[in-house]
Amino acid sequence: MWVFTLLLVAATAASVSCQDMWWKSAVVYQIYPRSFMDSNGDGIGDLNGIKMKLPYLKELGVDAIWLSPIYQSPMKDFGYDITNYTAIADEYGTMDDFDALMAEAKRLGVRIVLDYVPNHTSPESTWFKLSQNRTGKYTDYYVWADGKNNDSTTPPSNWISVFRNSAWQYDDTRKQFYLHQFVIGQPDLNYRSSYLREEMKEVLRFWLSKGVSGFRVDAVNMMYEVVNADGTYPDEPLSGNTNDTASYDYLNHLYTKDQNDTYTVVYDWRDVLEEFGKDESKIMMTEAYTDIDLMMRYYGNGVRNGSMPFNFIFLGELSGTSTARNMTTVIDKWIDKMPANTVANWVNGNHDNSRMATRHGVNRVDAMNMLALILPGVTITYQGEELGMTDGNISWADTVDPQACNTLDPVNYWKSSRDPARTPFHWDATKNAGFSNGSSTWLPVASNYQTVNVAVEKAAARSHYKFYKDVVALKHTAAVTSGSLGKTALSDNVLVVTRVPSSASEKTVVGIMNLGSSSETVDLSKVAGVPQTLKVVASGVACTLNNDDTVQRNSVTLPPYCAMTFQNAAATIVAPFLLLIFTSLIQLWRQ
């Protein structure tokens, strides 16, 4: 009787509603709205287009979609210059369209995460216009300063914009300079204003009240700048890296990024998210291209919780020439630095970087997707990575990215252009890759769309899409969600990743890749955690084994560039055995 009572109490406790920590082992799929799906033929992707394709994302197995900015904007930087944080950009649709997208996503069980852009707005924002005119609390909403020696032609400091040239722009209305660390059309907000800090919290609350599941925070480490005691701004020292005085790399940015006050604001935002986290934990991912130790501070300070910093080590320090040993080093670099009880993440690409298949080479698409999916924590996939989409070839005439346009260089512009990674998504081999039925698209479609697209890869016997989908199915197994991690480089070319669950009733997951151009046969018997008999559950495009094939761990043959995942071949009997015991106890109690 007492045994049954204990079991009943345990079962009851397990059924009590608690906060859903969904994101701690989730696949978050980044959508660049302009380039995902155009529903009305204007050549620009939109919210209704995203809603149309939600079944694709559900079938793919992603847990959440992260939408790059959808807010009202003049699109000088394609949504990262915002005029109204609580309104939808006209070309993307209406608030009713957003609400319909939310409702359909909820029905399908796909969460929505929004891009939050706290560092700057557009100068067309009402806030900026009020600040220009020194109206009430808005007076100090932005970073304003007099020119040196009160000269309207000499900027307050030597600071340089990420997009080249001075980071200061003179405003004839206010008779001062405003700071813009990015394009001129992106004036920096002033987080030393308590009014502004509260205003930005209200933006978060607005969208949380609509049911979004969290935020990705843009350029978070640029929010604060150093101010001298007299209110002036200090010049930054030369970096010595270039003689190009207009280049961002010309200076060492000691005073315009990574200031301590930034972390307090992020922790405050986490408190706001917790206000809406009774039933569902909210994800917050922060973008900061900075030193790894500074990234780690975003997690929290031991007293207050913060965000999950984007793993730009994984994104930035691995390439098509990285060896298996390089990969283990980069993985350990992040995991070893993480504070206790925090969650890792693995980022292969985003809208600001060349696509993963271009950086690593098409031969490594399956390997990199597998690695990001079976390592512990959050996997962040940029649209098209599941297909092996590569960068498009964008001519100078078609270039629209301000980062490239500002170079004024029709020869070398491509070195700084982000347009190639933002070309429209490939749905099929029809006109405009099935992205739009319009006469043209906002960026040209990549030339390989007829062979690299969803329809072709769904129909193929093997494809990057099918491999990705099969590996995603492993993401929520006990082994990948919470199992122990093992990494073994058997050679420069062969990497083995093991995920071993704590319970014998669950199956181990083993991922193996061959990064080289020659076939290799490996013995996994000395790799800890690898079961004796392995069943293939995902087989990449370069492999010869099929799903459900079995191999012995002492002899696994890997063709060139093959990536595969396995589970134990033997069926488990522990779980049915426990069910039998539980049923017997119920029968005894009834007697």
Side-chain angles (χ1 to χ4, degrees):
M1 177 66 178
W2 64 270
V3 174
F4 173 75
T5 302
L6 287 174
L7 289 171
L8 184 62
V9 169
T12 302
S15 68
V16 173
S17 176
C18 60
Q19 190 182 48
D20 182 356
M21 308 301 287
W22 64 275
W23 59 270
K24 292 194 171 183
S25 185
V27 179
V28 178
Y29 186 97
Q30 182 192 357
I31 289 176
Y32 196 70
R34 294 184 77 79
S35 294
F36 194 62
M37 184 64 198
D38 170 22
S39 70
N40 60 8
D42 66 356
I44 298 172
D46 47 50
L47 295 180
N48 286 332
I50 295 170
K51 187 179 75 167
M52 288 168 53
K53 295 301 183 179
L54 281 176
Y56 166 79
L57 298 165
K58 174 66 175 178
E59 182 184 3
L60 191 60
V62 305
D63 297 284
I65 55 174
W66 148 34
L67 305 181
S68 289
I70 57 173
Y71 317 111
Q72 198 173 85
S73 166
M75 298 293 169
K76 302 294 185 184
D77 191 22
F78 300 103
Y80 285 92
D81 50 321
I82 296 166
T83 57
N84 188 337
Y85 284 98
T86 56
I88 302 295
D90 292 341
E91 54 261 69
Y92 294 161
T94 66
M95 191 61 75
D96 286 343
D97 294 331
F98 177 81
D99 291 339
L101 172 62
M102 282 291 303
E104 181 64 4
K106 184 176 181 180
R107 186 184 72 82
L108 292 173
V110 178
R111 291 174 166 88
I112 292 182
V113 174
L114 296 184
D115 216 315
Y116 181 57
V117 188
N119 183 70
H120 45 259
T121 71
S122 164
E124 296 180 27
S125 165
T126 300
W127 295 356
F128 185 81
K129 293 174 181 177
L130 291 168
S131 192
Q132 274 182 316
N133 291 291
R134 303 177 190 264
T135 303
K137 67 177 185 179
Y138 298 98
T139 300
D140 296 322
Y141 262 37
Y142 295 83
V143 180
W144 295 99
D146 295 326
K148 283 187 177 180
N149 303 316
N150 292 318
D151 183 352
S152 64
T153 63
T154 307
S157 70
N158 70 343
W159 297 351
I160 297 174
S161 162
V162 172
F163 292 167
R164 296 182 62 82
N165 301 310
S166 176
W168 296 98
Q169 177 69 19
Y170 189 74
D171 180 73
D172 282 325
T173 300
R174 178 141 168 167
K175 306 301 182 186
Q176 282 187 305
F177 287 85
Y178 67 80
L179 179 68
H180 62 91
Q181 293 211 59
F182 295 92
V183 299
I184 290 174
Q186 291 171 320
D188 276 35
L189 290 164
N190 174 26
Y191 278 83
R192 299 187 189 283
S193 164
S194 60
Y195 295 115
L196 183 277
R197 293 197 302 273
E198 289 304 311
E199 187 95 60
M200 294 304 289
K201 289 179 186 177
E202 288 305 308
V203 171
L204 295 175
R205 292 186 178 104
F206 175 87
W207 293 106
L208 288 165
S209 68
K210 284 187 168 289
V212 302
S213 294
F215 301 89
R216 173 266 190 185
V217 186
D218 179 68
V220 69
N221 62 324
M222 314 286 276
M223 294 193 303
Y224 276 91
E225 304 78 31
V226 171
V227 183
N228 292 325
D230 63 357
T232 60
Y233 294 90
D235 284 345
E236 293 188 318
L238 304 187
S239 68
N241 295 328
T242 178
N243 292 322
D244 182 356
T245 58
S247 170
Y248 187 68
D249 292 334
Y250 184 66
L251 300 177
N252 187 3
H253 303 285
L254 300 180
Y255 305 133
T256 52
K257 58 188 291 190
D258 299 322
Q259 303 305 311
N260 286 330
D261 290 335
T262 305
Y263 301 101
T264 300
V265 171
V266 171
Y267 305 160
D268 288 345
W269 290 341
R270 166 53 64 189
D271 291 342
V272 173
L273 268 61
E274 290 303 323
E275 294 173 14
F276 293 81
K278 180 181 178 182
D279 298 318
E280 174 195 67
S281 176
K282 305 295 184 180
I283 191 171
M284 179 163 55
M285 307 175 287
T286 40
E287 179 204 43
Y289 287 93
T290 189
D291 177 81
I292 189 170
D293 290 319
L294 296 175
M295 288 186 205
M296 291 298 149
R297 292 180 62 186
Y298 287 100
Y299 275 120
N301 61 5
V303 177
R304 303 185 68 191
N305 292 325
S307 66
M308 181 183 68
F310 263 33
N311 186 346
F312 289 123
I313 305 302
F314 191 78
L315 173 61
E317 296 189 9
L318 293 178
S319 69
T321 61
S322 296
T323 66
R325 293 184 175 91
N326 294 150
M327 291 181 176
T328 62
T329 298
V330 168
I331 292 166
D332 285 339
K333 187 173 182 179
W334 188 268
I335 290 177
D336 291 347
K337 288 281 188 179
M338 287 171 52
N341 302 316
T342 56
V343 179
N345 68 97
W346 313 98
V347 185
N348 270 323
N350 61 25
H351 61 293
D352 285 332
N353 290 272
S354 182
R355 284 192 174 105
M356 180 260 284
T358 297
R359 287 182 290 107
H360 289 272
V362 173
N363 287 331
R364 292 193 176 190
V365 167
D366 290 339
M368 294 309 299
N369 276 332
M370 180 185 75
L371 196 57
L373 285 165
I374 67 172
L375 289 172
V378 180
T379 302
I380 300 167
T381 293
Y382 178 57
Q383 63 181 46
E385 286 176 1
E386 76 277 20
L387 305 176
M389 280 181 63
T390 51
D391 289 350
N393 183 20
I394 306 299
S395 69
W396 172 247
D398 288 327
T399 295
V400 293
D401 177 18
Q403 185 164 283
C405 293
N406 285 357
T407 66
L408 302 178
D409 184 348
V411 176
N412 296 305
Y413 68 95
W414 57 272
K415 294 179 180 179
S416 56
S417 180
R418 298 168 296 177
D419 288 336
R422 298 175 176 183
T423 56
F425 192 84
H426 300 172
W427 293 104
D428 54 42
T430 63
K431 178 184 176 182
N432 297 329
F435 161 74
S436 173
N437 61 13
S439 58
S440 62
T441 55
W442 80 282
L443 279 175
V445 174
S447 61
N448 62 354
Y449 76 92
Q450 291 182 321
T451 56
V452 180
N453 64 64
V454 172
V456 165
E457 296 199 20
K458 277 190 172 185
R462 291 180 184 274
S463 67
H464 297 308
Y465 165 85
K466 286 188 171 180
F467 179 75
Y468 181 96
K469 186 171 180 286
D470 287 343
V471 182
V472 168
L474 294 171
K475 184 70 175 175
H476 300 302
T477 62
V480 177
T481 299
S482 57
S484 62
L485 169 67
K487 311 171 300 300
T488 305
L490 295 179
S491 66
D492 278 347
N493 289 332
V494 178
L495 176 65
V496 182
V497 177
T498 57
R499 302 303 310 278
V500 181
S502 58
S503 170
S505 66
E506 302 289 347
K507 291 184 178 181
T508 293
V509 171
V510 178
I512 185 167
M513 65 179 71
N514 179 7
L515 300 171
S517 58
S518 300
S519 180
E520 297 211 22
T521 299
V522 297
D523 180 358
L524 303 181
S525 59
K526 294 183 179 179
V527 178
V530 177
Q532 175 67 45
T533 305
L534 298 166
K535 182 180 77 171
V536 178
V537 291
S539 184
V541 297
C543 304
T544 52
L545 290 175
N546 297 311
N547 287 6
D548 296 327
D549 285 350
T550 59
V551 295
Q552 298 301 303
R553 68 184 178 187
N554 64 342
S555 182
V556 180
T557 299
L558 298 167
Y561 310 116
C562 170
M564 287 187 289
T565 55
F566 304 88
Q567 286 182 316
N568 343 3
T572 179
I573 62 170
V574 178
F577 178 69
L578 289 174
L579 179 61
L580 178 62
I581 292 176
F582 188 79
T583 304
S584 298
L585 286 169
I586 291 176
Q587 291 173 345
L588 287 171
W589 176 74
R590 287 175 175 172
Q591 293 174 3

